[in-house]
Amino acid sequence: MAATRPYRSTLRQEHARQTRRRILEAAAAVFSARGYASASLADIAASAGVSVESVKVHGPKRALLLAAFELTFGGEAGESSLTERPEIAAIAALDDPDRMLAELVPFIAAANARTSGLWATFTEAARDDAEVGAVLAGLLERRHADYAALVELLAERGAPSLGRLDAAGRRELADALSFVMSPEGHQQLVGESGWSVERYTVWLLGAVRTLVSTAGD
């Protein structure tokens, strides 16, 4: 009995984790297709194949929106820094700054492609709902902190141009990287201008390399 209980507990935890992931994946699809205001918990429950009560456990709706975005963007729900994700940690461990960018930028480009519709829903909802706006503001703050950390990491790895940047210059570079690598850029170039994802990714890597190499000029 003593051995069976931990095993059953582990199974329950894994089932709960899988159910939450299914709910969040359904939420991402429903929010992207219907928008925030028109999406209901019942819609999400039907898409996930669970009860409305199960969805409510992971609500309210704004919490589902944020968690769905985090899961879709980085593969894991939760208000954590992107730098804590295993894929990004592996990239951050690289010694060569240019190789870091060559690995990181395609990751961000693919994440932007996955979350394009969901990001549009997020920003639209934030204009009409102050609480969603506060959630979005927190997300944007974490995003900028991630790019500030990237600038510091590139400097530590010996990116030549960053050695001559003071604190204000590094903040400005972080601002520029956050802007260029944002989901909004993907939406404009791919969603509105018709670029392919491949062209967008190549352009993005070139733009980021230029920003980093000319910083402080």
PDB file of all heavy atoms in Angstrom, residues 115-130:
ATOM      1  N   THR A 115       2.106  32.227 -32.266  1.00  0.00           N
ATOM      2  CA  THR A 115       1.252  33.051 -31.411  1.00  0.00           C
ATOM      3  C   THR A 115       0.679  34.270 -32.123  1.00  0.00           C
ATOM      4  O   THR A 115       0.069  35.124 -31.477  1.00  0.00           O
ATOM      5  CB  THR A 115       2.047  33.543 -30.183  1.00  0.00           C
ATOM      6  OG1 THR A 115       3.225  34.257 -30.632  1.00  0.00           O
ATOM      7  CG2 THR A 115       2.480  32.383 -29.312  1.00  0.00           C
ATOM      8  N   SER A 116       0.837  34.365 -33.424  1.00  0.00           N
ATOM      9  CA  SER A 116       0.431  35.564 -34.138  1.00  0.00           C
ATOM     10  C   SER A 116      -1.033  35.929 -33.887  1.00  0.00           C
ATOM     11  O   SER A 116      -1.357  37.043 -33.484  1.00  0.00           O
ATOM     12  CB  SER A 116       0.683  35.390 -35.634  1.00  0.00           C
ATOM     13  OG  SER A 116       0.279  36.534 -36.348  1.00  0.00           O
ATOM     14  N   GLY A 117      -1.943  34.981 -34.121  1.00  0.00           N
ATOM     15  CA  GLY A 117      -3.354  35.268 -33.922  1.00  0.00           C
ATOM     16  C   GLY A 117      -3.695  35.504 -32.473  1.00  0.00           C
ATOM     17  O   GLY A 117      -4.524  36.367 -32.142  1.00  0.00           O
ATOM     18  N   LEU A 118      -3.067  34.756 -31.577  1.00  0.00           N
ATOM     19  CA  LEU A 118      -3.332  34.898 -30.154  1.00  0.00           C
ATOM     20  C   LEU A 118      -2.847  36.243 -29.634  1.00  0.00           C
ATOM     21  O   LEU A 118      -3.494  36.863 -28.770  1.00  0.00           O
ATOM     22  CB  LEU A 118      -2.652  33.754 -29.399  1.00  0.00           C
ATOM     23  CG  LEU A 118      -3.069  33.515 -27.953  1.00  0.00           C
ATOM     24  CD1 LEU A 118      -4.571  33.298 -27.856  1.00  0.00           C
ATOM     25  CD2 LEU A 118      -2.324  32.313 -27.389  1.00  0.00           C
ATOM     26  N   TRP A 119      -1.713  36.722 -30.146  1.00  0.00           N
ATOM     27  CA  TRP A 119      -1.201  38.018 -29.725  1.00  0.00           C
ATOM     28  C   TRP A 119      -2.149  39.138 -30.129  1.00  0.00           C
ATOM     29  O   TRP A 119      -2.399  40.066 -29.353  1.00  0.00           O
ATOM     30  CB  TRP A 119       0.181  38.261 -30.312  1.00  0.00           C
ATOM     31  CG  TRP A 119       0.783  39.558 -29.867  1.00  0.00           C
ATOM     32  CD1 TRP A 119       0.898  40.705 -30.594  1.00  0.00           C
ATOM     33  CD2 TRP A 119       1.323  39.852 -28.575  1.00  0.00           C
ATOM     34  NE1 TRP A 119       1.479  41.699 -29.838  1.00  0.00           N
ATOM     35  CE2 TRP A 119       1.753  41.204 -28.599  1.00  0.00           C
ATOM     36  CE3 TRP A 119       1.483  39.109 -27.407  1.00  0.00           C
ATOM     37  CZ2 TRP A 119       2.333  41.814 -27.476  1.00  0.00           C
ATOM     38  CZ3 TRP A 119       2.068  39.718 -26.299  1.00  0.00           C
ATOM     39  CH2 TRP A 119       2.481  41.061 -26.356  1.00  0.00           C
ATOM     40  N   ALA A 120      -2.713  39.053 -31.330  1.00  0.00           N
ATOM     41  CA  ALA A 120      -3.673  40.057 -31.770  1.00  0.00           C
ATOM     42  C   ALA A 120      -4.891  40.068 -30.859  1.00  0.00           C
ATOM     43  O   ALA A 120      -5.415  41.136 -30.499  1.00  0.00           O
ATOM     44  CB  ALA A 120      -4.094  39.781 -33.210  1.00  0.00           C
ATOM     45  N   THR A 121      -5.345  38.886 -30.440  1.00  0.00           N
ATOM     46  CA  THR A 121      -6.464  38.793 -29.501  1.00  0.00           C
ATOM     47  C   THR A 121      -6.094  39.419 -28.166  1.00  0.00           C
ATOM     48  O   THR A 121      -6.895  40.142 -27.550  1.00  0.00           O
ATOM     49  CB  THR A 121      -6.846  37.318 -29.293  1.00  0.00           C
ATOM     50  OG1 THR A 121      -7.311  36.769 -30.526  1.00  0.00           O
ATOM     51  CG2 THR A 121      -7.927  37.172 -28.241  1.00  0.00           C
ATOM     52  N   PHE A 122      -4.892  39.157 -27.710  1.00  0.00           N
ATOM     53  CA  PHE A 122      -4.405  39.668 -26.426  1.00  0.00           C
ATOM     54  C   PHE A 122      -4.405  41.200 -26.417  1.00  0.00           C
ATOM     55  O   PHE A 122      -4.945  41.836 -25.507  1.00  0.00           O
ATOM     56  CB  PHE A 122      -2.988  39.139 -26.183  1.00  0.00           C
ATOM     57  CG  PHE A 122      -2.651  38.917 -24.731  1.00  0.00           C
ATOM     58  CD1 PHE A 122      -1.800  37.887 -24.373  1.00  0.00           C
ATOM     59  CD2 PHE A 122      -3.144  39.731 -23.739  1.00  0.00           C
ATOM     60  CE1 PHE A 122      -1.455  37.663 -23.050  1.00  0.00           C
ATOM     61  CE2 PHE A 122      -2.814  39.527 -22.402  1.00  0.00           C
ATOM     62  CZ  PHE A 122      -1.968  38.479 -22.063  1.00  0.00           C
ATOM     63  N   THR A 123      -3.813  41.796 -27.420  1.00  0.00           N
ATOM     64  CA  THR A 123      -3.704  43.253 -27.452  1.00  0.00           C
ATOM     65  C   THR A 123      -5.063  43.919 -27.636  1.00  0.00           C
ATOM     66  O   THR A 123      -5.329  44.988 -27.081  1.00  0.00           O
ATOM     67  CB  THR A 123      -2.746  43.706 -28.557  1.00  0.00           C
ATOM     68  OG1 THR A 123      -3.152  43.137 -29.817  1.00  0.00           O
ATOM     69  CG2 THR A 123      -1.321  43.256 -28.262  1.00  0.00           C
ATOM     70  N   GLU A 124      -5.943  43.282 -28.414  1.00  0.00           N
ATOM     71  CA  GLU A 124      -7.284  43.832 -28.596  1.00  0.00           C
ATOM     72  C   GLU A 124      -8.067  43.788 -27.287  1.00  0.00           C
ATOM     73  O   GLU A 124      -8.749  44.748 -26.917  1.00  0.00           O
ATOM     74  CB  GLU A 124      -8.025  43.047 -29.676  1.00  0.00           C
ATOM     75  CG  GLU A 124      -9.436  43.558 -29.954  1.00  0.00           C
ATOM     76  CD  GLU A 124     -10.143  42.760 -31.022  1.00  0.00           C
ATOM     77  OE1 GLU A 124      -9.509  41.872 -31.624  1.00  0.00           O
ATOM     78  OE2 GLU A 124     -11.334  43.027 -31.254  1.00  0.00           O
ATOM     79  N   ALA A 125      -7.976  42.671 -26.576  1.00  0.00           N
ATOM     80  CA  ALA A 125      -8.674  42.538 -25.297  1.00  0.00           C
ATOM     81  C   ALA A 125      -8.153  43.544 -24.275  1.00  0.00           C
ATOM     82  O   ALA A 125      -8.927  44.072 -23.470  1.00  0.00           O
ATOM     83  CB  ALA A 125      -8.516  41.113 -24.770  1.00  0.00           C
ATOM     84  N   ALA A 126      -6.863  43.814 -24.307  1.00  0.00           N
ATOM     85  CA  ALA A 126      -6.265  44.741 -23.341  1.00  0.00           C
ATOM     86  C   ALA A 126      -6.802  46.157 -23.494  1.00  0.00           C
ATOM     87  O   ALA A 126      -6.835  46.926 -22.527  1.00  0.00           O
ATOM     88  CB  ALA A 126      -4.746  44.733 -23.488  1.00  0.00           C
ATOM     89  N   ARG A 127      -7.214  46.514 -24.704  1.00  0.00           N
ATOM     90  CA  ARG A 127      -7.766  47.857 -24.921  1.00  0.00           C
ATOM     91  C   ARG A 127      -9.131  48.034 -24.266  1.00  0.00           C
ATOM     92  O   ARG A 127      -9.514  49.153 -23.922  1.00  0.00           O
ATOM     93  CB  ARG A 127      -7.863  48.146 -26.416  1.00  0.00           C
ATOM     94  CG  ARG A 127      -6.517  48.341 -27.099  1.00  0.00           C
ATOM     95  CD  ARG A 127      -6.674  48.934 -28.494  1.00  0.00           C
ATOM     96  NE  ARG A 127      -7.269  47.975 -29.412  1.00  0.00           N
ATOM     97  CZ  ARG A 127      -6.564  47.149 -30.173  1.00  0.00           C
ATOM     98  NH1 ARG A 127      -5.241  47.160 -30.114  1.00  0.00           N
ATOM     99  NH2 ARG A 127      -7.160  46.299 -30.991  1.00  0.00           N
ATOM    100  N   ASP A 128      -9.862  46.931 -24.108  1.00  0.00           N
ATOM    101  CA  ASP A 128     -11.226  47.011 -23.596  1.00  0.00           C
ATOM    102  C   ASP A 128     -11.390  46.524 -22.169  1.00  0.00           C
ATOM    103  O   ASP A 128     -12.428  46.753 -21.549  1.00  0.00           O
ATOM    104  CB  ASP A 128     -12.170  46.188 -24.501  1.00  0.00           C
ATOM    105  CG  ASP A 128     -12.166  46.676 -25.941  1.00  0.00           C
ATOM    106  OD1 ASP A 128     -12.086  47.902 -26.144  1.00  0.00           O
ATOM    107  OD2 ASP A 128     -12.227  45.824 -26.854  1.00  0.00           O
ATOM    108  N   ASP A 129     -10.394  45.838 -21.648  1.00  0.00           N
ATOM    109  CA  ASP A 129     -10.485  45.238 -20.315  1.00  0.00           C
ATOM    110  C   ASP A 129      -9.243  45.635 -19.524  1.00  0.00           C
ATOM    111  O   ASP A 129      -8.126  45.226 -19.850  1.00  0.00           O
ATOM    112  CB  ASP A 129     -10.584  43.708 -20.444  1.00  0.00           C
ATOM    113  CG  ASP A 129     -10.833  43.005 -19.122  1.00  0.00           C
ATOM    114  OD1 ASP A 129     -10.180  43.352 -18.120  1.00  0.00           O
ATOM    115  OD2 ASP A 129     -11.671  42.082 -19.090  1.00  0.00           O
ATOM    116  N   ALA A 130      -9.438  46.442 -18.495  1.00  0.00           N
ATOM    117  CA  ALA A 130      -8.308  46.962 -17.727  1.00  0.00           C
ATOM    118  C   ALA A 130      -7.513  45.839 -17.068  1.00  0.00           C
ATOM    119  O   ALA A 130      -6.284  45.925 -16.960  1.00  0.00           O
ATOM    120  CB  ALA A 130      -8.805  47.943 -16.665  1.00  0.00           C
TER     121      ALA A 130
END
